[in-house]
């Protein structure tokens, strides 16, 4: 089915193969509601197989990327739920992260301002984080009496910045600025705000021109191999690489090299 969310904006550029999701509550710094969570979960599930989509950009409207769960629309409402209702909610939020990671398309977060709480974890789950100079980030959960280990943060973050830095960020809930986030490897690139979307879209378009099956296997391997021994990882990669050698993209890359032209990769 076509992706037609009600709670955020969605666009697909068929010429480049890039889909763009724009969180669209700028008056609330794109704070998340139950509806936004649910539609993000479903959108990333569907983007895994959406025809013509080869890369995804996730950004926010206005001055912020995402400030986390909306204090009124979510946090206040949670006090009315019983234990089963609370678990239903937390599992839904985790499904958003799971579907971003399971989506075989590369996902680029274009961080246009404040990145906080659940917004920080969503950004962390993306494959790339391109940030504006104003994009400060914090994992705020401990500041509201909750675990810093929320929505997979304690799995994702140490793999990007290391255990020591992840411990500090998750236990203090402190903001760090874009310069520091770049220094520790949390952000891949930091650019002036007026160049942010162009930079993210350029990266997405470059990835979309690449060999989609090979990129998908690479993304999957980066997650799966954390739980493997070296011997298991070597067997996994040997099988995956042999399978890709049968794909037409491998021969296309070879022919393009011989003919001194750019490769034209297919799905």
């Amino acid at each position: 089915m076509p992706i037609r969310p009600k709670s955020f904006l969605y666009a697909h550029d068929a010429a480049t193969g890039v889909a763009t999701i724009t969180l669209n509550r700028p008056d609330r710094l794109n704070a998340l509601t139950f509806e936004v969570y649910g539609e993000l979960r479903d959108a990333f599930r569907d983007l895994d197989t959406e025809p013509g989509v080869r890369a995804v950009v996730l950004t926010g409207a206005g001055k912020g990327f995402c400030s986390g769960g909306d204090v009124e629309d979510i946090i206040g409402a949670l006090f009315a739920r019983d234990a089963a209702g609370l678990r239903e909610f937390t599992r839904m939020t985790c499904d958003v992260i799971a579907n971003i990671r399971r989506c075989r398309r590369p996902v680029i977060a274009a961080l246009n301002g404040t990145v906080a709480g659940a917004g920080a974890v969503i950004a962390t789950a993306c494959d790339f984080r391109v940030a504006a100079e104003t994009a400060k980030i914090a994992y705020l959960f401990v500041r509201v009496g909750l675990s810093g280990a929320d929505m997979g943060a304690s799995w994702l973050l140490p793999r990007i910045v290391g255990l020591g830095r992840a411990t500090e960020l998750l236990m203090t809930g402190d903001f760090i600025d874009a310069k520091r986030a770049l220094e520790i490897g949390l952000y891949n690139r930091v650019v002036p705000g007026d160049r942010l979307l162009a930079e993210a879209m350029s990266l997405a378009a470059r990835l979309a021109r690449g060999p989609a099956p090979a990129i998908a296997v690479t993304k999957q391997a980066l997650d799966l191999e954390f739980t493997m021994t070296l011997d298991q990882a070597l067997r996994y990669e040997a099988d995956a690489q042999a399978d890709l050698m049968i794909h037409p993209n491998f021969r296309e890359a070879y022919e393009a090299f011989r003919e001194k032209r750019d490769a034209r990769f297919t799905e």
Side-chain angles (χ1 to χ4, degrees):
M1 293 180 63
I3 298 172
R4 294 174 180 166
K6 298 177 181 177
S7 62
F8 51 79
L9 305 179
Y10 175 80
H12 173 217
D13 185 338
T16 63
V18 177
T20 305
I21 290 175
T22 306
L23 303 176
N24 194 34
R25 302 183 73 218
D27 56 319
R28 304 285 289 174
L29 286 178
N30 300 313
L32 302 165
T33 65
F34 294 111
E35 183 181 26
V36 176
Y37 269 120
E39 289 199 320
L40 282 175
R41 173 199 61 199
D42 296 346
F44 278 104
R45 177 199 62 206
D46 295 342
L47 282 165
D48 180 51
T49 56
E50 182 70 9
V53 173
R54 295 167 68 94
V56 183
V57 171
L58 174 61
T59 192
K63 297 181 179 180
F65 173 71
C66 178
S67 58
D70 191 287
V71 173
E72 298 301 328
D73 289 1
I74 285 187
I75 298 176
L78 290 177
F79 291 113
R81 294 196 175 201
D82 61 11
L86 293 172
R87 190 163 286 107
E88 178 185 30
F89 168 70
T90 55
R91 287 177 175 169
M92 177 178 70
T93 67
C94 288
D95 285 343
V96 175
I97 302 304
N99 288 351
I100 292 173
R101 297 309 309 158
R102 288 171 185 154
C103 179
R104 289 169 292 175
R105 315 313 181 200
V107 183
I108 298 96
L111 308 176
N112 52 305
T114 300
V115 190
V121 188
I122 289 171
T124 306
C126 295
D127 301 296
F128 299 86
R129 283 155 297 283
V130 180
E133 294 167 330
T134 57
K136 62 181 182 178
I137 186 169
Y139 302 81
L140 295 173
F141 309 105
V142 293
R143 294 198 171 192
V144 295
L146 298 177
S147 167
D150 189 79
M151 295 171 62
S154 63
W155 191 94
L156 294 162
L157 193 57
R159 287 162 169 77
I160 298 172
V161 303
L163 180 60
R165 293 186 178 110
T167 300
E168 182 177 359
L169 289 169
L170 295 180
M171 286 192 179
T172 66
D174 288 345
F175 273 100
I176 58 172
D177 62 20
K179 180 175 181 291
R180 179 59 178 160
L182 180 66
E183 287 174 350
I184 66 175
L186 181 52
Y187 291 172
N188 298 89
R189 304 177 187 178
V190 173
V191 298
D194 60 357
R195 284 179 41 206
L196 173 67
L197 200 54
E199 186 79 11
M201 295 299 289
S202 176
L203 174 59
R206 176 185 173 185
L207 292 164
R209 291 192 297 271
I215 290 173
V217 168
T218 303
K219 178 170 180 173
Q220 183 181 50
L222 287 167
D223 282 352
L224 291 179
E225 291 188 32
F226 273 112
T227 60
M228 295 182 184
T229 65
L230 176 59
D231 285 344
Q232 290 170 331
L234 290 171
R235 286 194 296 272
Y236 170 80
E237 292 192 6
D239 291 343
Q241 203 75 310
D243 289 342
L244 287 169
M245 288 175 178
I246 300 170
H247 195 282
N249 281 339
F250 186 52
R251 178 166 291 279
E252 166 60 15
Y254 171 69
E255 298 293 347
F257 175 79
R258 294 184 65 195
E259 296 168 15
K260 296 182 172 57
R261 60 173 175 82
D262 292 334
R264 295 183 290 271
F265 293 119
T266 62
E267 288 288 347

